[in-house]
Amino acid sequence: MSADELRAQFQAQGRPGLAEDRRRGARQARGMYAALAGLVAVICLVLIGVRLGQGDALGVWVATYAVGVALGGWGFVLARIGHTRWAMMVTCIAAALAGLGDSPAFR
């Protein structure tokens, strides 16, 4: 038997739609992580606008929000290319920076 015949027999053993289910699940995960990262980036941008609109002086909080925007954007890119674990890690860091920038210590 050739390798192609063995591969075809092995693939025929399992559930017929297993490969399609995995592809669909991976596609949904990429979409979910991309949406979450984009949401975090947009929230950081909105928070920058709100705080500047309130007349807050420029400070460290701008840098934390700006890094949050950058990391949120990078998480979106990572999710779209399929690196969902890295995307989630980067998005969590971006959300933590947004929370840090909104803390009373930076008011």
Side-chain angles (χ1 to χ4, degrees):
M1 275 192 165
S2 71
D4 291 332
E5 291 172 345
L6 286 172
R7 186 176 299 116
Q9 285 180 355
F10 178 74
Q11 289 174 346
Q13 287 178 353
R15 244 180 59 209
L18 183 63
E20 180 60 33
D21 288 345
R22 286 187 178 173
R23 280 193 295 274
R24 187 180 313 114
R27 189 172 41 249
Q28 288 174 345
R30 286 192 305 269
M32 181 187 67
Y33 288 137
L36 182 63
L39 181 66
V40 168
V42 167
I43 287 173
C44 287
L45 281 174
V46 168
L47 288 173
I48 288 174
V50 166
R51 294 231 7 221
L52 286 176
Q54 290 176 348
D56 287 355
L58 296 177
V60 177
W61 64 269
V62 175
T64 59
Y65 286 144
V67 173
V69 169
L71 288 177
W74 185 241
F76 180 84
V77 170
L78 287 172
R80 296 301 298 163
I81 63 174
H83 298 289
T84 53
R85 289 180 186 165
W86 285 101
M88 190 62 189
M89 181 187 67
V90 169
T91 303
C92 287
I93 293 170
L97 284 174
L100 181 65
D102 205 31
S103 70
F106 294 130
R107 291 213 176 251

